[in-house]
Amino acid sequence: MPDILEVKNLSVAFGQIKILSHLSFSVKEASTLAVIGPNGAGKTLLFRALIGAERHSGEVVWKPGIKIGYIPQKLDLERDLPVTALELLMAKAAIVKLGAKHVDESLKLVDLPIKDARQPIGNLSGGQFQRALIAFALIGEPEVLLFDEPTAGVDAPGQEKIYELTNRLKKEKHLTVIIISHDLSLVYEYADEVLCLNREKICFGKPQEVLEPQALEKLYGSPHKYYIHNDHRN
Amino acid sequence: MTIETSYLLLSVFIAAAAGLVGCFALMKKMTLASDAFSHIALPGLGIAILLKINPLIGGAAALMIGGLLVWLIENRTRISSEAVIGVIFSASLAVGSLITPREDLIEALFGGLQAINPLEFVIAALISLAIIAFILKNKERLVVSLISRDLAATSGISTERLNFYFLLFFSLTIILGLRYSGVLLMGSLIIVPAAAAKYLSRSLKGMLATSTVISVVSTISGLLLASKFNLTAGPIIVIIAAAAFFAGLVLKPKD
């Protein structure tokens, strides 16, 4: 598979403080890349640089004409904002010049019933809101999904469902998925490659090859407990 | 004192523009900022009165310069609009109250009902319609960018450019309102109907419609009452809009 994204020597600094330095990696079409690292490692910042929302040095080269669907980690929203999830999705459809049919389709893809979508976004549960955000990202038929910490604010069964959903969408739509995650067992299960990030690249490669105790200790600064299913060792 | 039909019609346009702009100003957390923003016009009004030119031209120039300053400082420093507008507002009010002749200050602050000439009517009507068209055409972009700049970026929206246009149309709304409600009250006409509508609505469509209706109804009834009892229109309009807000608080059914 050819590369869909190539990142060369990417650095992001706030004033004198370098948050990301000299990152280089590439992502293959229709693969899943997991980005892991401790809090403050610059994972979300990397995503913002990838979508062009953060000033950076170095190069971020997407395959020409690629559309990106972005699912942010959390949004700092007022609870009483009188905007329904459906209005937010219709807004995206209008901006990318698509009809209401695409909104219905994306709601079906994420299993969000229309009656939930008619609620103001402040009334939705963490899981429902995340589904609405995935639906938002899917409108406009993106080739790439950037998913920031899909499990923040969602309970454990909800997390599993969101991973299953992402994996299903990936297969159905041949999507390339770049996902930030804290859950190493899910990274083992779903990622083709993993980027360990702590302001710089600590490791990059197949999870089974690079996620060794030494690398994790270097990444998180202390011995990291993780659980590997036996079937993933093979 | 009677009200000309053209003045009433123009007031409806301006009120509708204020009701619509107010919804996004409120959701963008520019509530106090929008009140403060209208005060930025004051030094311009003062200078225009001293130079004996139309005070509205001075007010408009001051607002345009103020709007540009706010946008520039916000983009260069990442300080929130609210803080930047707060600083510029205080400075403007201080400078404005020093240079505006005392006898003209009250009129600049509270406005007055004056006759308008046909040219003024046409220009003001066109500007109001342009503001209404801008909000209706860009409501989708505005709502996505206020929910998340990053979602906006991946939807192909430049939030920076959109904010610039919003501040421009926001300033135009205030300039129009200065004509009849004065510096102090125009900010209120932008905030109060939108605040009532936000509380009463469960959707963006509902909020935009409710805010426009409250703004237009308060303006018409305020103008008619002021004319009948020979009072200043601006304060009456704002009192009626505020009454609608409190009525909404009391009457809204619980979810």
Side-chain angles (χ1 to χ4, degrees):
Chain A
M1 277 287 180
D3 288 343
I4 198 164
L5 166 69
E6 189 167 7
V7 174
K8 279 190 234 162
N9 216 14
L10 173 76
S11 297
V12 180
F14 289 147
Q16 296 294 311
I17 305 162
K18 235 179 192 176
I19 311 289
L20 287 177
S21 55
H22 309 296
L23 270 186
S24 296
F25 62 93
S26 57
V27 182
K28 289 196 169 27
E29 239 176 287
S31 71
T32 298
L33 169 71
V35 180
I36 63 168
N39 291 330
K43 304 185 294 291
T44 298
L45 198 65
L46 167 64
F47 269 26
R48 301 197 70 241
L50 294 184
I51 61 172
E54 200 67 60
R55 283 191 194 133
H56 58 80
S57 60
E59 280 181 61
V60 172
V61 186
W62 290 99
K63 195 178 150 185
I66 285 295
K67 292 188 290 292
I68 303 169
Y70 174 61
I71 302 143
Q73 181 180 21
K74 61 174 182 165
L75 296 174
D76 187 18
L77 289 178
E78 290 173 78
R79 295 290 296 176
D80 64 343
L81 208 60
V83 177
T84 67
L86 192 60
E87 280 179 323
L88 189 59
L89 300 180
M90 294 297 278
K92 168 85 182 266
I95 293 164
V96 297
K97 299 191 169 63
L98 290 173
K101 190 175 71 129
H102 292 262
V103 173
D104 292 341
E105 270 171 26
S106 70
L107 282 173
K108 271 196 201 100
L109 280 171
V110 301
D111 290 328
L112 188 69
I114 188 86
K115 79 169 178 21
D116 293 344
R118 289 210 170 96
Q119 295 289 319
I121 46 183
N123 288 8
L124 298 179
S125 71
Q128 286 171 325
F129 186 53
Q130 196 133 46
R131 274 160 202 277
L133 287 178
I134 301 173
F136 184 94
L138 289 173
I139 295 169
E141 313 216 308
E143 292 86 359
V144 183
L145 272 192
L146 290 188
F147 208 148
D148 190 351
E149 196 72 68
T151 52
V154 182
D155 59 16
Q159 290 176 19
E160 192 71 36
K161 270 190 201 158
I162 284 177
Y163 272 93
E164 278 167 19
L165 168 66
T166 313
N167 211 37
R168 176 165 60 80
L169 288 172
K170 187 197 155 199
K171 282 181 186 151
E172 278 175 22
K173 301 262 167 193
H174 303 288
L175 294 173
T176 305
V177 178
I178 306 180
I179 195 163
I180 291 176
S181 181
H182 273 131
D183 192 327
L184 293 183
S185 51
L186 290 170
V187 169
Y188 268 101
E189 198 167 340
Y190 293 107
D192 299 309
E193 285 187 301
V194 59
L195 167 69
C196 322
L197 185 68
N198 195 358
R199 301 199 169 197
E200 55 182 2
K201 186 165 80 178
I202 307 285
C203 68
F204 182 81
K206 292 189 189 316
Q208 295 82 353
E209 288 166 13
V210 300
L211 288 186
E212 294 300 324
Q214 272 175 326
L216 291 173
E217 191 170 339
K218 190 176 173 203
L219 181 62
Y220 290 100
S222 61
H224 200 75
K225 286 181 188 156
Y226 62 98
Y227 174 71
I228 308 169
H229 299 279
N230 277 335
D231 49 332
H232 298 136
R233 278 289 192 192
N234 306 318
Chain B
M1 188 166 28
T2 56
I3 308 173
E4 292 173 45
T5 322
S6 57
Y7 187 81
L8 201 61
L9 189 64
L10 183 57
S11 300
V12 169
F13 289 160
I14 294 172
L20 290 172
V21 165
C23 289
F24 287 101
L26 186 70
M27 288 191 286
K28 285 162 86 73
K29 296 185 184 166
M30 289 168 67
T31 339
L32 289 175
S34 67
D35 196 22
F37 204 76
S38 57
H39 297 41
I40 294 174
L42 196 60
L45 293 177
I47 291 170
I49 291 169
L50 288 178
L51 297 176
K52 302 203 184 324
I53 52 174
N54 189 338
L56 277 183
I57 295 172
L63 267 175
M64 287 299 160
I65 295 168
L68 201 62
L69 264 179
V70 170
W71 183 75
L72 278 175
I73 296 176
E74 201 190 339
N75 277 318
R76 295 283 154 86
T77 61
R78 291 174 172 248
I79 301 172
S80 71
S81 316
E82 201 136 76
V84 178
I85 293 172
V87 172
I88 294 182
F89 145 64
S90 314
S92 304
L93 198 58
V95 173
S97 57
L98 269 184
I99 59 175
T100 311
R102 191 164 288 269
E103 59 272 25
D104 296 318
L105 192 60
I106 293 294
E107 194 173 324
L109 289 175
F110 294 104
L113 200 62
Q114 304 136 348
I116 47 168
N117 64 46
L119 181 67
E120 225 184 352
F121 171 79
V122 172
I123 293 173
L126 284 179
I127 294 176
S128 331
L129 294 175
I131 296 166
I132 295 169
F134 168 77
I135 296 290
L136 294 180
K137 193 166 183 297
N138 288 286
K139 59 182 190 307
E140 287 89 6
R141 285 183 176 78
L142 286 165
V143 79
V144 171
S145 86
L146 85 89
I147 281 174
S148 158
R149 270 173 176 253
D150 295 342
L151 286 185
T154 51
S155 306
I157 301 166
S158 160
T159 301
E160 210 169 280
R161 195 183 310 159
L162 190 65
N163 277 347
F164 175 76
Y165 286 124
F166 182 76
L167 274 175
L168 181 76
F169 281 97
F170 181 69
S171 313
L172 283 174
T173 315
I174 289 168
I175 293 163
L176 286 177
L178 291 179
R179 186 74 178 83
Y180 70 92
S181 67
V183 171
L184 277 185
L185 297 168
M186 189 52 205
S188 320
L189 192 62
I190 291 179
I191 299 163
V192 179
K198 187 179 176 207
Y199 183 72
L200 291 169
S201 312
R202 287 170 60 83
S203 68
L204 181 67
K205 220 167 150 184
M207 182 177 177
L208 292 172
T210 311
S211 175
T212 309
V213 168
I214 293 175
S215 183
V216 168
V217 170
S218 338
T219 300
I220 296 175
S221 51
L223 285 173
L224 294 175
L225 278 175
S227 157
K228 193 167 162 56
F229 296 105
N230 212 5
L231 297 165
T232 313
I236 306 283
I237 293 169
V238 174
I239 289 169
I240 296 172
F245 175 81
F246 287 111
L249 281 189
V250 177
L251 297 175
K252 186 193 176 188
K254 290 214 166 69
D255 286 335

